[in-house]
Amino acid sequence: MRTAFTDLVGVRHPLVQTGMGWVAGPRLVSATANAGALGILASATMTVPELRAAVREVASRTEAPFGVNLRADAGDAAERVRVIIEEGVRVASFALAPSRELIARLKEAGVVVMPSIGARRHAEKVAAWGADAVLVQGGEGGGHTGEVATSVLLPQVVDAVDIPVIAAGGFRDGRGLIAALAFGASGVAMGTRFLLTSDSTVPDAVKERYLAASVKDIVVTTKVDGLPHRMLRTDLVNSLEQSGRSAGLLRAVRHAVAFREQSGMSWSQLLRDALAMKRGKDLTWGQVLLAANTPMLLRAAMVEGRPDLGVMASGQIAGLIEDLPSCAELVDRIMTEAYGTLAGLPGAGAPGRPPVGAPGGG
């Protein structure tokens, strides 16, 4: 299924596996790439040397294009960009809008730049700065999210920019892909659906918690790091919701110390990143400190298999997912269903009308 996105990136299918911290590692990314979709490696929870090693591991497992996701406000963003360029990574995606300078540097090296955004104005800004594509996530998506549903946000962005738009938030199957294409998107991105595959390294017990969840079990809380964060409701999340501000800040201090040890960052590096985060997101110092909770609470669940001690970021779509296919099986299923959905649209096969997607067709 050829779209402006598949032409831009060089993948067979207009599907993207998002860069989920502690989840989107070499095994998942390479499996996604080999299935014909775009896998994106999550680098925010890696050191720079770990990132280079992970990129090389993915490259050893697949010849297909893949991407790396990084934080534009990280103090070592320039070093990470250098790794992406030197290792020949096809796509650089960003959780926040990268600077004009970073975009220009990547584009000069032939890297496709694809920031993630949650508002029309942000899409217009990065498009004006030279971004090649944009991933737009509606409020149904997991992790940090906004209040506007994908079905409302997506057409706004499609109408506002003239670069390929990838839709995220609420997608799991071929019907969703066709719906996104009808809105004008060039593909869909999925996090939770790829997390729940046999190629994901998330512990089986944690995957079972996702599979058991209903749509109503997936909530948005600001108690983890001060920002709206969509995740599975658990006893820990309920406890966080009821905790006071002082308890939350004390927990954040402990997690900041743990994250510094885990990442190998110095205190000065951590402070520089905090300052950049405060400026980039217009946060209070309390919110900046709370941000230290996120990587460590996610790690407890996604790596250590302890949902009682960690949190599980999740899109609302988890309430509709019931199995753990391989990435190859998932991608094949989605594309088969997409073609079936397209063929089944009213009038798609009516006599005297060109097929959907053909010149003059619907």
Side-chain angles (χ1 to χ4, degrees), residues 45 57 63 72-73 90 124 134 143 159 170 200 229 309 314 342 353:
T45 51
E57 183 176 348
E63 296 181 357
D73 61 348
R90 180 62 180 145
E124 292 172 330
V134 65
D159 290 344
S200 162
H229 204 128
L309 300 178
S314 176
L342 199 57
R353 292 190 58 186

Side-chain angles (χ1 to χ4, degrees), residues 67-101:
V68 168
N69 178 264
L70 59 158
R71 279 180 38 216
D73 61 348
D76 58 2
E79 295 178 61
R80 294 172 185 270
V81 164
R82 184 172 68 249
V83 170
I84 289 172
I85 293 171
E86 291 176 351
E87 298 297 329
V89 175
R90 180 62 180 145
V91 178
S93 75
F94 292 87
L96 294 174
S99 66
R100 287 177 184 266
E101 293 74 23

